[in-house]
Amino acid sequence: MASTTKGKAQSKSSAAKFSKETYMEWFESMLLMRKFEEKAGQLYGQQKIKGFCHLYIGQEACVAGAVSALKKGDKYITAYRDHAHPIALGSDPKKIMAELFAKETGISKGKGGSMHMFDIENHFFGGHGIVGGQVPLGAGIAFAEKYNKTGNLCMCYMGDGAVRQGAFHEALNLAMTWKLPVIFVIENNGYAMGTSVQRTSNVTELHTLGKAYEMPSEAVDAMSVEEVHKSVEVAAKRARDGKGPTLLEFRTYRYKGHSMSDPAKYRTKDEVEEYKKKDPIEQVRDVILKNKYASEKDLSAIEEKVKKEVAECVKFAEESSYPDPSEAFKDVYVQEDYPFLME
């Protein structure tokens, strides 16, 4: 079994009750992420999306719960499994789909593709292709927020494989030394690129890595959007109070392989099905129905709305144009008339 089952993720003692509005927002947001990613997978199979493509299916609570716990102005940065993050932050999904198609209407003007989404208006500082490369960048963003006294923080996501990078440890050390307002999140889906945590490290309780820097650290059941929200809320208060960073190990699970080219033969079908029983969207659906926040008919209407929205994303992407070749020389340097060698 994946390391997400090893040990028990800590639960908050607080029995905070979330509102109907919050549950409905979670349901629609996570459903949009799910349906968008499922469609992206289909389009990749049709070769309409090329290059690398890493889907977020199963991990939706990791971002939905964080966004609901934080405030406008807080910054987000992540690795290359990055389509869902801007969706949760309010970026136009049509532009995200267009980016996957490498079209000029894409969120990164068609230049970034699947792994390099970026939306400054919604404070999303990317998808990053270098494993662990975003971790010191996240600390740097937090340094800027502290320096400018904004009261904002940075959510810095990484996969479980990234904690083997030296930059991870350097960033944690400086973040604690300077008490930076950053929340480091390990999205531990158990297998990194395809090798289980147990086979790559003697330390399988990944949150304990933060203890070496005396950083508050804990494991979180990230198949539960409520638990994600509560853990981020606590960490955010700490950051805004000037007490520095927190390391959260979000124990989650991806239903698909590492990327579209990964058949995921290193795990069993039974294991995947076992995790699907804890599906974050279905958990929220159950709460909504149990508390009569909405009826099955209401939820079906939301599902139809989301499917229509995803279809509109595909139409927008297909009808958009590819960038002009001259765009290759733009957005490289601040100097607009940079003297590129054109011959």
Side-chain angles (χ1 to χ4, degrees), residues 302-320:
I302 292 173
E303 290 173 357
E304 287 304 312
K305 174 187 173 184
V306 166
K307 288 180 183 177
K308 181 179 179 182
E309 189 172 357
V310 172
E312 290 171 353
C313 291
V314 177
K315 184 174 185 292
F316 176 80
E318 290 184 327
E319 293 177 352
S320 295

Side-chain angles (χ1 to χ4, degrees), residues 27 31 285 294-307:
F27 180 75
L31 189 64
R285 178 195 290 274
S295 64
E296 287 279 11
K297 183 178 180 181
D298 296 328
L299 297 183
S300 294
I302 292 173
E303 290 173 357
E304 287 304 312
K305 174 187 173 184
V306 166
K307 288 180 183 177

Side-chain angles (χ1 to χ4, degrees), residues 21-36 56 60-61 63-65 67-68 84-90 225 281 284 302 305-306 309:
E21 289 72 25
T22 298
Y23 275 105
M24 297 304 292
E25 287 172 5
W26 280 336
F27 180 75
E28 185 167 343
S29 177
M30 291 196 292
L31 189 64
L32 178 56
M33 295 179 220
R34 175 73 56 89
K35 296 302 179 184
F36 183 99
Y56 207 65
E60 294 87 356
V63 62
V67 170
S68 62
H85 290 75
I87 288 176
L89 288 167
V225 69
I281 300 175
V284 168
I302 292 173
K305 174 187 173 184
V306 166
E309 189 172 357

Side-chain angles (χ1 to χ4, degrees), residues 10 18 31 33 68 95 108 130 138 152 161 163 168 227 342:
Q10 297 177 19
F18 297 99
L31 189 64
M33 295 179 220
S68 62
K95 292 183 178 181
S108 297
I130 298 175
N152 298 325
V163 303
F168 166 80
E227 291 302 314
M342 308 293 286

Side-chain angles (χ1 to χ4, degrees), residues 257-312:
H258 172 69
S259 69
M260 288 300 296
S261 61
D262 174 17
K265 292 182 178 180
Y266 41 79
R267 59 187 185 181
T268 66
K269 291 183 179 179
D270 288 342
E271 179 181 309
V272 177
E273 290 305 314
E274 196 63 30
Y275 273 96
K276 286 184 178 181
K277 294 177 182 178
K278 300 187 290 185
D279 187 89
I281 300 175
E282 292 305 311
Q283 288 192 57
V284 168
R285 178 195 290 274
D286 290 345
V287 172
I288 289 172
L289 293 175
K290 181 179 179 180
N291 290 280
K292 298 182 179 179
Y293 292 152
S295 64
E296 287 279 11
K297 183 178 180 181
D298 296 328
L299 297 183
S300 294
I302 292 173
E303 290 173 357
E304 287 304 312
K305 174 187 173 184
V306 166
K307 288 180 183 177
K308 181 179 179 182
E309 189 172 357
V310 172
E312 290 171 353

Side-chain angles (χ1 to χ4, degrees), residues 314-340:
V314 177
K315 184 174 185 292
F316 176 80
E318 290 184 327
E319 293 177 352
S320 295
S321 301
Y322 287 105
D324 186 273
S326 64
E327 281 293 318
F329 300 99
K330 298 178 183 177
D331 303 315
V332 179
Y333 296 104
V334 173
Q335 182 182 336
E336 293 185 6
D337 59 346
Y338 188 84
F340 289 101

Side-chain angles (χ1 to χ4, degrees), residues 30 57 110 200 271 341:
M30 291 196 292
I57 299 172
T200 59
E271 179 181 309
L341 295 177

